[in-house]
Amino acid sequence: MDDYKHDRNGSMSSTDPFGNGSMDMQQGLLGWENGMENGLPSFQMPSMGMSNSLGAPEFALDPAFYNDPSMAGFDAFDPMSASTGTMMENKLPPLQNHSSVDTNASPPSTTSRLPKHLTLPFDLTSCEPSLDQQVSSNSQIVGLSGESDPYLLARYRFDQYNEATFQSIRIRKMNDGLGTDNDIPTFFTIQHNALASKAQPPESPEALDRYRRDVEEMVSDAVGKRLIRLFYKYVQPYFPVLSREGGSYPRDEDGCREPSSISTCLLAAIYGHALPFCAWDEKLCVEVYTPPSADALFKIAWQACLPNMHTPSFAVLQTLLLMVQRRPTNKHVSDTPFKSVLMSAAVSIAQVLGINRDPSAWPLPAWEIKQRRRLAWATYIQDKWLALNAGRTGYIQRDDWDVEMLTEEDFSGNNRNAEGLETPARLTSQHFIKLCELSELVDEILRGLFSVKATKALHNSLEATLEVAKPLRIRLTEWYQSLPAGLLSQPSVGSPDDKRRSSLQHELDGKGSLHLAYITAKIELFRAMLRPRVTDTNANAVSALRTGALAVAKEVFEFLEGLNARELEAFWASYARTNFTIASSFMLLLFVTSPNVADAKECLALLKAWRSLLRIKSRSCDLLNLALLRLDGVFVAGIDRLLELSPSAAQAWNTGQGTG
């Protein structure tokens, strides 16, 4: 330790900062904690003095403290090799001296000033610092009302890397709130993962290694690369939680990351989502006779993700979102509350990472800004549709959501071809953007018509309900009219030539999930408008509403009838299954509440046709099984015995219309 000299901030100044006798932060922290457990006297914080230049706190640390024998033997916890520090040191620009900055008060973020495990990595293409690639550290946003006051932090002195460095953490400034842009001060703490070494529940390194081995035993590296490419081709366009650009990850020629560069939890989730598309790979379609178990992969994804929640990263959030997005584990049973637990965890991790804040003006690499914005909206979409499906409150609150709507600039590879036509990449980015816009509308529908307070206030008043629903209906229509031509649903009827050309198209088409979501939003509006009781004063209005509601029910029938194999086999959002089931419930409601026999017969005929269509289509699409099961249960039990029918519905059922 003779080569080390500690300055008054506790930073190691350097004749040999990375020599054999160096002690990294993790060793220091864990040694301290274990020393406490072994009965060593507690570390007493010295009194704080003020430096002559800046008035910064002065911490006179005792070098002998780091020589304690109890701190030996922690090399096994080293999360990165010593070569990483050397590599990153070569990437850093030279430190510039600023007369107004006292480096003792705010040590610069260079390898000569920081322990090697806290080396600040820089994006290799833009040379801007990344919050998500902190090697052995993690970044968390500083809350506005927590122990650290952002308005106090704004008065700290930061170096040219926008950082103030302390013994165990760094503070990274995104915005000090002192400019004229009316933004609020925004800071992140960057702390070593060793600080969470005693967090509960724990997970041993041996268990994490075992999870990795299990994944590698189930999926070889060669097969894994193909599964990752399948994910990027068939899932990523419609649920863009990954990225094709940026970072220091090894990638193939298509921008897909290599398996070795992906954390275990995220890799297992990616493999689980890619398995259904093995038939579209030229080698896996014939070589994978017994594919790995998706259940086993998602189990590992959860087990490997759980301990990483103590040190959150993009990979943790991506894993949670993909688990929420998972196809049903039991096609005949509704989702358990565990999916809501996963969603709440995803929202919590997103907030910890500052994903709920718009990063557009932050000093971050362009690729990270794009990915943050896409992850924000992926979280938002899942939250709102899961809330609609479950009939419960979403976890994201509007007052704490600060992310502007996505644009095509947030996606890579979006352009038009030489003929000026939209490319598939541009269409899929538009697909996701339009889904974001629709999800905002759905949030307003849920808050305005289906919250507990809104329902209590409106369910007995048609006039008050229509006042809330009318502008939402107008905006929903305008949303649909704004869809690009390539995203419009194809009519189920057409000329023989149109049908022949359509049959020759063999690429999977995932836009069906978006159209089902649009129809579901319309169904929810009509469900709310049909809640008030029919009276003499509102009978005509209710009759008009039922006409519109029946038209929507026919629309969802025609939508499902027109879906072909390349659409049914494509990517579908996990909430699509419940959306189909909502359609079944809606048709049943229309029949049960029929005001006259003619209406009842029409509704019953549609209900029976829908049930038959579900039987046919569910053979090739397991998302339909729950919608079919719900109707089968009612028909088998007997609608007239199970439900209280209106007189007209009972007459239609009893006169022979209910058989079959």
Side-chain angles (χ1 to χ4, degrees):
M1 294 292 291
D2 293 338
D3 292 330
Y4 285 91
K5 297 179 181 178
H6 290 73
D7 65 19
R8 56 191 175 184
N9 287 319
S11 299
M12 289 183 292
S13 62
S14 68
T15 48
D16 179 15
F18 302 124
N20 292 331
S22 65
M23 182 63 66
D24 64 18
M25 176 170 292
Q26 184 176 3
Q27 290 172 316
L29 289 169
L30 294 180
W32 182 9
E33 292 172 351
N34 288 341
M36 293 287 288
E37 293 172 358
N38 293 330
L40 294 179
S42 60
F43 178 75
Q44 299 296 325
M45 179 65 72
S47 60
M48 294 193 302
M50 305 299 288
S51 69
N52 294 330
S53 57
L54 291 178
E58 184 175 346
F59 301 94
L61 299 185
D62 182 7
F65 172 75
Y66 292 95
N67 286 323
D68 196 292
S70 66
M71 298 172 63
F74 286 95
D75 291 340
F77 288 90
D78 186 355
M80 58 181 277
S81 66
S83 61
T84 306
T86 304
M87 177 187 71
M88 290 303 175
E89 183 177 8
N90 295 332
K91 297 295 181 183
L92 290 170
L95 178 63
Q96 303 294 327
N97 291 324
H98 297 271
S99 59
S100 62
V101 177
D102 180 5
T103 56
N104 285 330
S106 182
S109 305
T110 63
T111 54
S112 63
R113 303 289 296 190
L114 293 176
K116 63 184 179 182
H117 295 298
L118 289 182
T119 298
L120 177 63
F122 278 74
D123 178 72
L124 299 181
T125 57
S126 65
C127 292
E128 294 184 53
S130 164
L131 285 173
D132 192 58
Q133 296 189 43
Q134 293 296 315
V135 189
S136 58
S137 299
N138 64 91
S139 60
Q140 302 178 28
I141 197 167
V142 176
L144 296 174
S145 63
E147 58 171 304
S148 298
D149 185 347
Y151 289 88
L152 175 61
L153 293 178
R155 304 184 68 85
Y156 277 56
R157 299 183 185 273
F158 294 84
D159 58 31
Q160 69 263 41
Y161 302 119
N162 288 325
E163 289 196 353
T165 305
F166 303 92
Q167 184 179 357
S168 59
I169 65 170
R170 290 175 286 155
I171 302 293
R172 174 78 64 82
K173 178 178 68 176
M174 296 290 110
N175 190 318
D176 58 15
L178 301 179
T180 59
D181 55 1
N182 199 33
D183 203 354
I184 58 178
T186 304
F187 300 88
F188 281 81
T189 60
I190 302 176
Q191 52 194 12
H192 200 283
N193 292 340
L195 290 172
S197 61
K198 297 298 180 68
Q200 299 292 329
E203 189 66 276
S204 66
E206 293 78 12
L208 295 175
D209 291 341
R210 184 178 69 252
Y211 297 148
R212 187 74 184 195
R213 289 195 303 271
D214 290 344
V215 172
E216 292 173 348
E217 288 174 1
M218 284 190 283
V219 181
S220 67
D221 188 67
V223 172
K225 291 179 180 179
R226 291 185 170 273
L227 288 176
I228 291 172
R229 283 197 289 271
L230 288 174
F231 181 94
Y232 271 94
K233 184 175 182 179
Y234 295 112
V235 180
Q236 172 75 5
Y238 303 101
F239 196 56
V241 295
L242 303 184
S243 177
R244 290 184 180 271
E245 58 183 354
S248 56
Y249 310 114
R251 301 177 184 271
D252 63 15
E253 61 277 6
D254 296 323
C256 302
R257 288 175 58 179
E258 296 290 327
S260 60
S261 72
I262 304 175
S263 64
T264 302
C265 57
L266 179 57
L267 187 65
I270 290 173
Y271 287 166
H273 275 282
L275 285 177
F277 301 102
C278 283
W280 280 266
D281 182 90
E282 290 299 329
K283 293 196 68 175
L284 299 184
C285 64
V286 295
E287 292 186 0
V288 181
Y289 298 102
T290 306
S293 166
D295 289 343
L297 286 169
F298 280 110
K299 181 179 180 180
I300 292 175
W302 170 246
Q303 291 173 327
C305 178
L306 189 59
N308 286 321
M309 290 186 187
H310 297 305
T311 56
S313 64
F314 283 0
V316 173
L317 177 58
Q318 290 162 333
T319 301
L320 291 170
L321 291 176
L322 289 175
M323 292 187 68
V324 173
Q325 179 56 56
R326 183 186 178 185
R327 297 288 286 267
T329 55
N330 187 331
K331 59 186 179 181
H332 296 296
V333 178
S334 298
D335 293 321
T336 69
F338 182 65
K339 178 162 281 192
S340 293
V341 172
L342 286 174
M343 191 68 248
S344 66
V347 173
S348 296
I349 293 296
Q351 291 179 334
V352 167
L353 296 174
I355 297 296
N356 61 315
R357 301 280 298 278
D358 196 299
S360 300
W362 292 355
L364 293 173
W367 68 266
E368 184 169 345
I369 291 175
K370 294 178 184 179
Q371 188 164 16
R372 279 179 168 271
R373 285 169 49 76
R374 293 196 308 270
L375 283 173
W377 282 103
T379 306
Y380 185 92
I381 288 169
Q382 292 293 92
D383 178 61
K384 298 311 173 187
W385 285 99
L386 187 60
L388 183 148
N389 284 174
R392 303 187 186 107
T393 304
Y395 297 105
I396 293 176
Q397 302 301 313
R398 167 179 282 192
D399 290 344
D400 291 315
W401 188 256
D402 188 36
V403 186
E404 297 294 329
M405 181 55 62
L406 294 175
T407 69
E408 291 182 23
E409 297 301 319
D410 293 304
F411 301 82
S412 59
N414 298 312
N415 48 43
R416 294 176 181 266
N417 60 21
E419 290 75 28
L421 300 177
E422 292 174 329
T423 63
R426 186 176 186 276
L427 279 178
T428 51
S429 68
Q430 281 293 317
H431 178 285
F432 192 70
I433 291 172
K434 289 299 180 182
L435 180 57
C436 294
E437 295 174 356
L438 180 60
S439 300
E440 279 195 314
L441 265 173
V442 164
D443 180 50
E444 294 192 36
I445 291 173
L446 294 178
R447 289 188 300 105
L449 294 169
F450 289 95
S451 69
V452 173
K453 288 186 176 180
T455 302
K456 290 178 68 174
L458 301 176
H459 76 113
N460 284 325
S461 172
L462 178 59
E463 182 179 356
T465 301
L466 292 178
E467 185 177 351
V468 176
K470 183 178 179 180
L472 294 172
R473 292 181 67 185
I474 293 173
R475 291 175 57 193
L476 191 58
T477 301
E478 292 173 346
W479 174 89
Y480 184 78
Q481 293 172 345
S482 70
L483 288 176
L487 290 182
L488 293 172
S489 60
Q490 301 299 319
S492 58
V493 295
S495 67
D497 288 342
D498 290 338
K499 292 181 178 180
R500 181 181 62 82
R501 283 193 293 270
S502 178
S503 66
L504 294 176
Q505 297 176 4
H506 59 276
E507 282 296 328
L508 298 183
D509 185 352
K511 68 174 179 284
S513 186
L514 178 65
H515 286 275
L516 176 61
Y518 161 68
I519 298 173
T520 303
K522 290 205 292 186
I523 288 175
E524 294 297 329
L525 284 173
F526 277 103
R527 284 176 60 176
M529 291 186 290
L530 291 174
R531 286 185 306 212
R533 294 180 180 274
V534 181
T535 64
D536 293 338
T537 57
N538 67 16
N540 291 334
V542 171
S543 177
L545 285 174
R546 284 190 61 88
T547 300
L550 188 56
V552 173
K554 292 177 180 178
E555 182 180 358
V556 71
F557 176 89
E558 293 170 356
F559 164 76
L560 178 57
E561 186 179 40
L563 292 178
N564 54 41
R566 70 189 186 94
E567 293 164 329
L568 290 172
E569 294 293 334
F571 172 84
W572 285 82
S574 60
Y575 47 80
R577 180 173 79 140
T578 304
N579 287 351
F580 280 118
T581 309
I582 287 173
S584 292
S585 176
F586 184 59
M587 293 182 192
L588 185 60
L589 174 68
L590 291 179
F591 168 66
V592 168
T593 58
S594 298
N596 56 68
V597 175
D599 183 282
K601 290 181 177 179
E602 185 176 10
C603 290
L604 183 58
L606 178 61
L607 188 62
K608 292 172 61 179
W610 174 251
R611 184 187 180 201
S612 298
L613 182 62
L614 288 174
R615 282 175 172 169
I616 297 171
K617 296 285 188 176
S618 63
R619 305 292 293 177
S620 58
C621 183
D622 59 9
L623 290 172
L624 301 172
N625 290 92
L626 187 62
L628 175 60
L629 182 64
R630 291 290 187 262
L631 283 186
D632 283 344
V634 172
F635 273 83
V636 170
I639 291 181
D640 57 337
R641 294 191 298 273
L642 192 64
L643 297 171
E644 181 180 342
L645 306 180
S646 70
S648 299
Q651 183 178 346
W653 181 264
N654 293 330
T655 55
Q657 299 298 325
T659 60

